[in-house]
Amino acid sequence: MKTITPRKVVWIVHPRDFRDIEEKIPFLKKLPLFLKYYLILCISPYIVSEFKKDGQGEGYIIGVMLLPVHFQRNKSWATFRVGQAFKLAKKMGAEKISIGGMLSGIVEKNNFSQKFGVEVFDGTDLLAHGLAEKVQNIFLARDPTTTSIGIIGATTKSGSTLSKLLSPLNIKELHLFAKTEKNVLALAEECRKLCAKNVITHIDFGAISQCDISILTAFIKQEDGANLAKDIKQNSIFLSGIEPVSPFVFELEKMRPDINLTKGIRIETPGLTYDKMSSVISDGNAFACLTEALVAEGDTNYKII
């Protein structure tokens, strides 16, 4: 690794789909899908870019070149690659590491924060509060007592926090969607203790058709996404709470133009700029995971939109 100036904050990212990788490695466009799938498994984590605040070096961005499908099908290899990324971040002077997407599960399961002696920020708390704020703003124009809300991925970290934040609101129904029945039933009980009047649990997406507002807080597989897109209530509101925005959300936008779709929480961070990351995040903005780390460094100049 070439000599670099140590930075306290490092942001570790992974691509959303092949298009993100092909932008950096154009020749991959010419290869068949199955070959690309295995070829990128051979790419070690590397320094993608530096980010700056008011022109001054603030931190570095490390890329783990694995797609969401790799995290699902190649879990051991994904764990190895994320571990490599943390080692690289430590060499770069990291004391605080921001992570998003599919990285959070691996980092938490393997206790990488303690193992590498760093603070880890995944943005889940900031995202949940931002989504809850958006929902309450929506209620300014409608009656919450006649509104049903569905949280997709309710037992994820952000989904669980969001469920509890919405529980005291006087809404018609709170629908919790998750994979594991035991976990979602336990969350429902917590929500009821927080004054949620009518909490309904689900382990499939069929009942999403009953929800006036649907909130995505978990990655959706392609096959599940197709069914979900069909079932979403006509002319309802759909809020995406995943960073970066899931490819499913872009497909949903094409398939269901009748839905009022919001692609994530926008956080304005004046003076923050990126190098070689324009296709993922624009200057003057930041994802929640990075914002949390910057706030921990003393930077409070941000605004949730």
Side-chain angles (χ1 to χ4, degrees):
M1 185 177 68
K2 65 180 182 180
T3 302
I4 62 170
T5 302
R7 306 285 187 211
K8 289 185 178 181
V9 181
V10 168
W11 181 22
I12 302 178
V13 301
H14 71 79
R16 296 164 291 188
D17 52 30
F18 279 115
R19 287 171 295 184
D20 284 344
I21 301 175
E22 289 168 351
E23 183 176 304
K24 304 295 182 183
I25 314 175
F27 84 88
L28 288 177
K29 296 179 182 178
K30 302 178 181 179
L31 301 180
L33 189 63
F34 80 92
L35 186 56
K36 287 191 285 190
Y37 178 94
Y38 289 104
L39 187 59
I40 63 175
L41 287 171
C42 302
I43 304 176
S44 298
Y46 66 97
I47 302 172
V48 175
S49 174
E50 181 179 15
F51 59 91
K52 299 177 180 179
K53 184 66 181 289
D54 298 325
Q56 300 297 315
E58 188 78 6
Y60 297 102
I61 303 172
I62 291 176
V64 176
M65 291 298 105
L66 298 177
L67 302 174
V69 66
H70 290 114
F71 286 92
Q72 294 171 328
R73 297 178 183 175
N74 308 87
K75 294 181 180 179
S76 296
W77 191 247
T79 300
F80 171 68
R81 286 299 193 207
V82 176
Q84 285 186 314
F86 266 69
K87 289 178 182 177
L88 178 56
K90 286 290 290 184
K91 289 181 180 178
M92 297 162 67
E95 296 177 7
K96 298 175 174 60
I97 296 180
S98 294
I99 56 171
M102 304 297 287
L103 298 166
S104 301
I106 287 178
V107 171
E108 184 174 1
K109 181 179 179 181
N110 293 278
N111 199 14
F112 278 178
S113 176
Q114 182 175 344
K115 182 178 179 179
F116 291 96
V118 293
E119 289 185 82
V120 173
F121 301 86
D122 59 14
T124 53
D125 190 62
L126 186 58
L127 270 177
H129 281 81
L131 288 167
E133 185 176 315
K134 278 189 174 292
V135 170
Q136 293 185 67
N137 288 337
I138 291 170
F139 285 159
L140 295 176
R142 65 192 303 166
D143 183 1
T145 62
T146 63
T147 303
S148 295
I149 297 178
I151 301 178
I152 303 163
T155 55
T156 62
K157 289 177 68 176
S158 58
S160 177
T161 301
L162 177 62
S163 300
K164 296 170 188 176
L165 289 172
L166 297 181
S167 292
L169 303 182
N170 190 25
I171 58 178
K172 179 183 177 182
E173 294 172 339
L174 180 61
H175 293 262
L176 306 180
F177 297 85
K179 292 181 180 179
T180 307
E181 186 174 25
K182 178 182 177 182
N183 294 342
V184 74
L185 288 174
L187 175 61
E189 283 304 309
E190 291 186 68
C191 292
R192 293 185 183 104
K193 291 176 181 178
L194 294 169
C195 299
K197 293 182 178 179
N198 195 2
V199 186
I200 307 168
T201 62
H202 309 275
I203 54 173
D204 60 59
F205 293 132
I208 201 71
S209 60
Q210 302 173 32
C211 300
D212 305 296
I213 302 174
S214 302
I215 307 173
L216 180 66
T217 63
F219 177 80
I220 297 293
K221 294 181 181 178
Q222 185 174 359
E223 56 270 26
D224 292 334
N227 294 326
L228 175 61
K230 295 175 185 176
D231 291 334
I232 296 173
K233 188 175 184 177
Q234 189 174 10
N235 298 317
S236 62
I237 295 171
F238 191 95
L239 304 177
S240 175
I242 296 180
E243 295 182 337
V245 179
S246 168
F248 159 73
V249 177
F250 293 105
E251 291 301 315
L252 179 63
E253 186 176 33
K254 297 175 185 176
M255 295 172 63
R256 295 293 304 275
D258 62 294
I259 294 173
N260 184 346
L261 178 65
T262 298
K263 303 190 198 79
I265 300 298
R266 183 184 166 202
I267 303 177
E268 290 185 349
T269 49
L272 196 65
T273 59
Y274 306 88
D275 178 28
K276 306 174 185 176
M277 289 286 286
S278 59
S279 63
V280 178
I281 184 75
S282 58
D283 291 346
N285 295 277
F287 290 145
C289 57
L290 181 56
T291 303
E292 284 186 346
L294 295 178
V295 169
E297 277 292 287
D299 184 355
T300 58
N301 190 19
Y302 74 95
K303 181 180 179 182
I304 297 178
I305 306 295

